[in-house]
Amino acid sequence: MITSTSVRRAALIAALLAVPGLQAAEVAGIRLDDKLRVGNSDLLLNGAGLRSKLFIKVYVGALYVNEKSSVPAGVLDSTAPRRMVLRLLRDLGGDALHEALEEGLANNHSPAELAAIKPQSEQLAAIMKGIGKVREGDTVAIDFSADGISVSLNGEGRGKVAGPAIARALLKVWLGDKPVDASLKKALLGI
């Protein structure tokens, strides 16, 4: 027998499921957690979107932060832990991944700014090239902190680069004035 209590309970459950942010996101068939733990920090999904190049789906990008922000400065200027997750939708060589990051750095920084982070950029290049070929379904995670960045592939640490400047600079690849993909930038910021 259907009672008014069971109808109200079903309506409440349906309403809660319809509220944005209470359920995990899905982009291009990839399900993303709405929060995750990085070290001692719980991070929230700020936004997620698809990176395409010439109509080819490259990866699903997801940005995790300790406090959500819809403005780039809120993420770029934070010293709290942040994580960028790249879930590959196609195979890519380590050189291609590195070149894309280098291009993003060059597009968002002056020559003087690039010169200031050159040693860290070269360390990052060595890490990315050391990863080698990434395959469809692989996950590259880049953790950002006040101390620098760390890179992992499928949960296995691949290297760290010290320095707060490289962390901010690398985040600009996705959130800078000339992001790698403007629609992905908006999606990462939840707008």
Side-chain angles (χ1 to χ4, degrees), residues 123-165:
Q123 281 182 288
L124 177 60
I127 292 168
M128 299 313 279
K129 289 177 182 178
I131 287 176
K133 187 172 191 169
V134 287
R135 306 212 179 277
E136 180 179 342
D138 282 349
T139 301
V140 175
I142 305 170
D143 291 326
F144 301 86
S145 72
D147 299 326
I149 61 172
S150 61
V151 180
S152 63
L153 175 65
N154 298 325
E156 179 186 321
R158 291 307 188 101
K160 295 180 179 184
V161 180

Side-chain angles (χ1 to χ4, degrees), residues 9-10 19-20 23 30 35 76 90 96 107 111 117 137 140 147 150:
R9 202 173 282 146
V19 175
Q23 49 190 317
I30 304 296
K35 59 181 157 177
L76 294 170
R90 60 185 302 249
N107 288 341
I117 60 167
V140 175
D147 299 326
S150 61

Side-chain angles (χ1 to χ4, degrees), residues 2-140:
I2 299 176
T3 65
S4 63
T5 303
S6 62
V7 170
R8 278 184 279 189
R9 202 173 282 146
L12 177 62
I13 291 170
L16 288 173
L17 290 174
V19 175
L22 288 182
Q23 49 190 317
E26 187 171 315
V27 177
I30 304 296
R31 193 166 159 79
L32 302 160
D33 294 327
D34 57 356
K35 59 181 157 177
L36 48 86
R37 188 138 180 99
V38 175
N40 295 326
S41 300
D42 290 320
L43 300 182
L44 305 170
L45 180 64
N46 198 68
L50 180 64
R51 165 67 171 120
S52 299
K53 189 170 184 177
L54 301 174
F55 305 105
I56 297 171
K57 295 177 183 178
V58 181
Y59 60 80
V60 170
L63 177 63
Y64 290 87
V65 296
N66 72 328
E67 189 174 317
K68 289 188 175 194
S69 178
S70 61
V71 294
V75 178
L76 294 170
D77 296 337
S78 175
T79 57
R82 293 143 294 164
R83 175 177 276 184
M84 184 68 187
V85 175
L86 311 175
R87 178 74 183 271
L88 280 292
L89 299 176
R90 60 185 302 249
D91 293 355
L92 284 178
D95 286 338
L97 195 54
H98 162 257
E99 288 168 11
L101 292 175
E102 284 292 318
E103 181 180 331
L105 286 170
N107 288 341
N108 287 283
H109 297 88
S110 70
E113 290 170 324
L114 289 173
I117 60 167
K118 186 174 180 174
Q120 292 90 355
S121 181
E122 288 174 350
Q123 281 182 288
L124 177 60
I127 292 168
M128 299 313 279
K129 289 177 182 178
I131 287 176
K133 187 172 191 169
V134 287
R135 306 212 179 277
E136 180 179 342
D138 282 349
T139 301
V140 175

